[in-house]
C-alpha cells in the first residue's frame, strides 16, 4: 500500500495525516480503563456511557482489545460510536418526514466537497467534550484520531463546497433534504509538485476505510445506456415509444448522515457507485481469458471512478455524460420508488419534491423524468410536462460561455437515444411559444433554441434547464444581473419573473466555530453563542471594534491561528512561515480569470525593485504570500502558471537580499482540511478576478468572517462584501464590469500596458531573462507571451490599479489599531453570508418547503 502519510516527500503532521502504522500497542502504551470489560448500555451522552460504546465498537467491529489496537482501529471505533449516536436521530428524522409527507429538497450536484466528518459530527451532536474526556480515560488523544480521517475528495472547489454548506444548513433548519451525487472512488486528484510542476496522483481516500457511509446494495438501481427506440401500440391502441437499451449498469447507494447543529435532525446525502449488472463471467474465466472475465465490471466502475475525467478525448466526453446521466437516473428512481408511498399519484409530485440543479451537470434529469412519466407511467405528454416543469430549478454558477455545457447530438443519440427525442420535442414546443411571443423574429427563435447548429449540432444544457425550471438563479447580485442581461437575455425578456438572485453563503459551524475556536470563543464571550445559527447577530460586535481590550484579544486569536498554521505547514510541507509578516493569501481553483498571474506579477515586482536597487529590502512591508490551487489536468496554461509560481517562490525564498521581508509559499493539495487552518490565519484575502467573470466566490466570505481584509475587484460577491463592510475596510481596485466591456469593444492591446508601465515591464522582463528558470529565458514563454499578446482577462490592464491598492494595504497594516478595527468590522458586518440565509432565500422564493420538527 502507498504511504498515505507522505505528501511531496514530507511527512504530514498529526493534524493532517492518517497513520498507516498498523502495529498494535501494548498495555504499557495504553492504560486499561476500568470500564473496558463493562457491558454496553450507558447512554453515550455521559462520559462513562461513551467509553462503554467506544470499547464495544473497538471489540466487536474492529475485533481488537484496547491494549492491542492501532490508531486506525481507534479512529474507526470512535467514528462508529459517534455514528451510532446519530443513527437513532437519522432514523427518527426519516420517520417524521414520511409521516408528515413533507416536501423535500432533492439537491442534485456532481460535487460535494465535504471535509472531514468526525469534527463536524462531534460538534453537531454536542459530543466533542464528552468524547475528549472519555478517550482521555482510555489514554488516547482525540486530536490524533481526528487526524487519522482522510478527507473525501468529492469536489473540485466552490461548487462542491457550496453544496456541502447547503445541506448542512438545511439540516440545521429542520428542512427535509436529500443530497444526491456520485461516490467517486478516487475523487479529485491529489496534487503533488515535482520540480515545481503539478503532478496528479490518485486520491485514495477509501484506502483505510470510510466509516461514515452505509452501503445498500439491496437498493441498487439499474441504469440503461445505448440501444435504440421503437414505436409500438399498447393494449388500448395508443401508439407509444419505448427505449430498447443496449447495455446497463447498477447504481449502489451509499448513505451519509448530515446532522443539523444541536437540533436532533439528521438528513441524508446519498452517493451512487457504479457496478456491473453481471460483474464476473465464470465461463470466460475458466477458458483462461481472465481479463475479459471481469471486463464488464471494469467498464461499469469507470463511471464512478474519478471526478471530472479529462474530456479532451471522445472517450472522456462520453464518460462525463455517462456520469451525469448515471447519478440523476439513480436519484430520480430512488426518490420515486423509495421515498414516496407505493400508491402515490405522480401527478402530485411537485407537492413532494423540488430538485435543485446545481449547475448544468444534472440537467439530463429533465428528460429522464419526462421519460419515466410518459414511457413508464403512461402520462400523456402535456400532463407529464406540466409535472416536470414544476419539479426543477436551476442554479447557474458561471458567466464563461465555455463552462455552459453543450452535448453533441451524435453523442446523446448514441448514449441516450430516447432522451434526445424528448429534448427535440421539448425544443419544438418551446420554439412554438417563442414564435408566438415574437412573430416574425426567426433570428431570435434560432438564438433561443435548445439545439445549436454551430460549431456542431448539440444540446445547450443551460437552455434546457432554463426552459424546464421554475426559477433560474445566479449566486451573487452582479452575477445574477449579468446572467439575465448578457448570458440568457432573450430568456429573461420572455420570462422576467423566472430569473432571481440568491447570493451564496457558507456554514458558520464549520468555517468559524470549528475552524476558528479562539475567535469563536471571543465572539461568544462578547455577544453570546446564538450567532452560530443566527449569523446576523455578528452585528452586535460593531461596538467592540472601538474597545482596545477586545482588539488585543482579537489580535491574540489571530496570532494563535498563525502559529497553528505554521506548525501544520512545517510538518505537512516543510514550509516555515516567518513571524510578524502580513499573511497574504490567494487560494482558489487555478484559472486564468481568477488571475493568479496578477498576484504573481505583484510579487515579482516587489522583488525586482529590491534586486534593481529601486528600493531597499527593509522598506518592504514584511509579507508572506500563500497560494493554494489545483489546475485541471488538461489545462496547460494553468499548469504552466503553477510551475512559474513555484519557480518564483524557490528563487525569492533562497535569496538573502529579501530574507525576512518577502516569502512565497505554495503548499500542495489545498483542501478543506488545510482551509480550516489557513483561512483563520490570513490577514489579507486576494479576490482579484476580472470584474464580470466570477459568479460569486465563497472563499471571500470565509476570509471576511474570520477577520481578513479583502483586496478585490467589484466582481461576484465582492460587491456585496464591500457594500456591507464599507469602502474604508475593503481595498477596491481595477475596472468595473462596464469598463471591461468598453475596453473589449474598443480593442484590448495588452502589450501597450507593458510598454507604458516601467514597473510592469521590469517584472515581466525579469521573468523573460531566465532569472527564475536557471538562466533559461524561454521556459515560461507560454505564460508571459500569453499575457503580452492575448491576456484575455486583462491582468496587465489592472496591474497599476492593483499595485496602488497594495500600497494602501501596506499603509493600513502599519497602523495596528486601525487594521484590527477594520478586521473586527469585517467579521461584524458579514453575517449576511451565512448559508442559512441562502437557504431561507431558496425556500421562500423557489422551493416553498417547510421545516419538519
Amino acid at each position: 500500500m502507498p504511504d498515505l502519510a507522505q505528501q511531496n516527500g514530507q511527512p504530514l503532521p498529526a493534524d493532517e495525516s492518517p497513520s498507516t502504522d498498523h502495529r498494535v500497542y501494548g498495555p504499557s502504551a495504553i492504560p486499561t480503563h476500568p470500564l473496558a470489560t463493562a457491558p454496553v448500555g450507558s447512554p453515550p451522552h455521559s462520559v462513562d456511557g461513551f467509553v462503554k460504546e467506544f470499547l464495544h465498537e473497538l471489540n466487536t467491529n474492529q475485533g481488537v482489545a484496547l491494549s492491542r489496537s492501532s490508531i486506525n482501529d481507534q479512529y474507526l471505533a470512535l467514528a462508529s460510536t459517534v455514528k451510532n449516536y446519530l443513527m437513532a436521530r437519522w432514523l427518527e428524522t426519516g420517520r417524521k418526514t414520511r409521516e408528515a409527507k413533507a416536501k423535500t429538497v432533492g439537491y442534485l450536484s456532481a460535487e460535494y466537497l465535504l471535509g472531514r466528518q468526525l469534527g463536524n459530527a462531534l460538534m453537531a451532536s454536542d459530543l466533542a467534550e464528552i468524547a475528549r474526556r472519555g478517550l482521555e480515560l482510555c489514554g488516547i488523544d482525540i486530536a490524533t484520531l481526528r487526524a487519522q480521517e482522510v478527507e473525501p475528495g468529492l469536489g473540485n472547489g466552490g461548487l462542491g463546497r457550496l453544496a456541502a454548506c447547503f445541506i448542512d444548513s438545511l439540516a440545521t433548519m429542520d428542512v427535509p433534504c436529500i443530497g444526491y451525487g456520485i461516490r467517486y472512488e478516487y475523487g479529485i486528484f491529489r496534487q503533488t509538485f515535482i520540480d515545481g510542476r503539478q503532478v496528479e496522483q490518485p486520491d485514495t481516500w477509501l484506502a483505510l476505510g470510510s466509516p461514515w457511509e452505509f452501503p445498500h446494495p439491496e437498493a441498487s438501481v439499474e441504469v440503461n445506456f445505448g440501444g435504440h427506440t421503437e414505436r409500438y401500440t399498447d393494449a388500448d391502441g395508443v401508439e407509444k415509444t419505448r427505449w430498447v437499451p443496449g447495455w446497463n449498469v447498477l447504481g449502489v447507494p451509499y448513505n451519509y448522515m448530515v446532522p443539523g447543529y444541536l437540533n436532533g435532525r439528521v438528513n441524508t446525502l446519498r452517493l451512487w457507485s457504479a457496478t456491473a449488472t453481471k460483474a464476473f463471467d465464470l465461463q470466460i474465466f475458466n477458458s483462461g481469458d481472465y481479463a475479459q472475465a471481469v471486463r464488464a465490471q471494469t467498464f461499469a466502475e469507470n463511471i464512478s471512478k474519478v471526478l471530472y475525467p479529462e474530456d479532451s478525448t471522445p472517450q472522456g466526453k462520453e464518460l462525463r455524460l455517462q456520469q451525469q446521466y448515471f447519478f440523476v437516473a439513480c436519484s430520480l428512481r430512488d426518490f420515486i420508488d423509495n421515498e414516496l408511498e407505493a400508491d402515490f399519484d405522480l401527478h402530485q409530485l411537485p407537492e413532494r419534491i423540488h430538485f435543485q440543479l446545481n449547475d448544468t451537470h444534472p440537467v439530463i434529469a429533465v428528460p429522464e423524468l419526462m421519460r419515466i412519466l410518459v414511457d413508464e407511467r403512461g402520462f400523456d405528454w402535456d400532463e407529464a410536462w406540466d409535472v416536470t416543469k414544476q419539479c426543477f430549478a436551476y442554479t447557474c454558477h458561471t458567466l464563461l460561455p465555455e463552462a455552459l455545457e453543450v452535448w453533441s447530438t451524435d453523442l446523446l443519440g448514441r448514449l441516450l437515444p430516447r432522451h434526445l427525442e424528448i429534448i427535440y420535442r421539448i425544443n419544438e414546443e418551446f420554439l412554438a411559444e417563442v414564435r408566438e411571443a415574437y412573430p416574425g423574429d426567426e433570428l431570435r427563435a434560432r438564438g433561443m433554441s435548445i439545439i445549436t447548429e454551430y460549431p456542431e449540432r448539440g444540446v445547450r444544457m443551460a437552455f434546457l434547464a432554463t426552459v424546464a425550471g421554475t426559477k433560474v438563479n445566479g449566486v451573487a447580485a452582479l452575477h445574477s444581473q449579468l446572467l439575465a442581461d448578457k448570458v440568457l437575455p432573450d430568456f429573461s425578456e420572455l420570462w422576467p419573473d423566472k430569473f432571481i438572485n440568491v447570493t451564496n453563503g457558507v456554514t458558520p459551524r464549520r468555517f468559524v466555530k470549528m475552524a476558528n475556536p479562539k475567535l469563536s470563543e471571543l465572539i461568544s464571550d462578547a455577544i453570546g453563542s446564538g450567532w452560530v445559527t443566527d449569523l446576523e447577530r455578528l452585528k452586535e460586535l460593531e461596538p467592540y471594534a472601538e474597545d482596545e481590550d477586545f482588539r488585543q484579544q482579537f489580535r491574540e486569536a489571530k496570532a494563535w491561528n498563525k502559529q497553528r498554521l505554521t506548525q501544520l505547514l512545517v510538518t505537512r510541507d516543510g514550509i516555515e512561515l516567518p513571524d510578524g509578516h502580513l499573511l497574504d493569501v490567494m487560494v482558489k481553483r487555478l484559472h486564468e480569470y481568477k488571475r493568479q498571474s496578477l498576484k504573481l506579477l505583484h510579487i515579482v515586482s516587489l522583488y525586482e525593485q529590491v534586486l534593481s536597487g529601486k528600493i531597499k529590502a527593509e522598506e518592504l512591508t514584511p509579507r508572506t504570500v500563500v497560494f493554494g490551487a489545483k489546475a485541471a489536468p488538461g489545462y496547460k496554461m494553468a499548469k504552466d502558471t503553477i510551475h512559474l509560481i513555484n519557480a518564483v517562490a524557490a528563487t525569492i525564498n533562497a535569496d538573502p537580499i529579501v530574507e525576512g521581508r518577502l516569502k512565497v509559499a505554495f503548499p500542495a493539495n489545498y483542501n478543506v482540511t488545510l482551509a480550516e487552518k489557513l483561512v483563520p490565519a490570513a490577514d489579507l484575502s486576494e479576490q482579484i478576478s476580472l470584474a464580470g467573470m466570477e459568479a460569486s466566490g465563497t472563499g471571500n466570505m470565509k476570509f471576511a468572517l474570520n477577520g481578513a481584509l479583502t483586496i478585490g475587484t467589484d466582481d461576484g460577491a465582492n460587491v456585496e462584501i464591500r457594500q456591507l463592510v464599507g469602502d474604508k475596510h475593503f481595498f477596491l481596485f481595477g475596472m468595473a464590469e462596464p469598463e471591461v466591456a468598453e475596453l473589449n469593444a474598443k480593442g484590448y492591446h495588452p502589450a501597450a500596458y507593458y510598454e507604458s508601465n516601467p514597473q510592469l515591464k521590469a517584472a515581466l522582463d525579469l521573468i523573460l531573462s531566465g532569472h527564475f528558470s536557471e538562466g533559461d529565458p524561454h521556459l515560461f514563454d507560454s505564460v508571459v507571451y500569453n499575457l503580452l499578446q492575448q491576456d484575455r482577462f486583462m491582468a496587465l490592464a489592472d496591474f497599476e490599479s492593483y499595485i496602488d491598492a497594495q500600497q494602501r494595504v501596506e499603509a493600513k497594516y502599519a497602523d495596528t489599531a486601525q487594521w484590527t478595527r477594520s478586521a473586527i468590522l469585517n467579521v461584524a458586518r458579514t453575517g449576511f453570508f451565512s448559508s442559512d440565509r441562502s437557504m431561507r432565500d431558496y425556500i421562500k422564493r423557489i422551493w416553498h418547503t417547510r421545516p419538519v420538527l
Side-chain angles (χ1 to χ4, degrees), residues 598-637:
L598 179 57
K599 176 74 255 177
L600 185 63
L601 288 173
H602 171 233
I603 296 166
V604 173
S605 177
L606 291 175
Y607 177 60
E608 189 281 329
Q609 289 179 81
V610 175
L611 205 62
S612 63
K614 297 183 182 75
I615 61 174
K616 296 178 180 178
E618 53 267 28
E619 295 177 52
L620 290 178
T621 296
R623 181 192 298 252
T624 295
V625 181
V626 179
F627 288 94
K630 291 182 179 181
Y635 191 174
K636 183 179 184 303
M637 184 56 63

Side-chain angles (χ1 to χ4, degrees), residues 824-842:
I824 293 168
L825 290 175
N826 265 260
V827 177
R829 294 173 178 176
T830 50
F832 172 80
F833 297 106
S834 169
S835 51
D836 299 350
R837 188 270 315 149
S838 297
M839 291 299 89
R840 285 194 295 271
D841 287 351
Y842 275 98

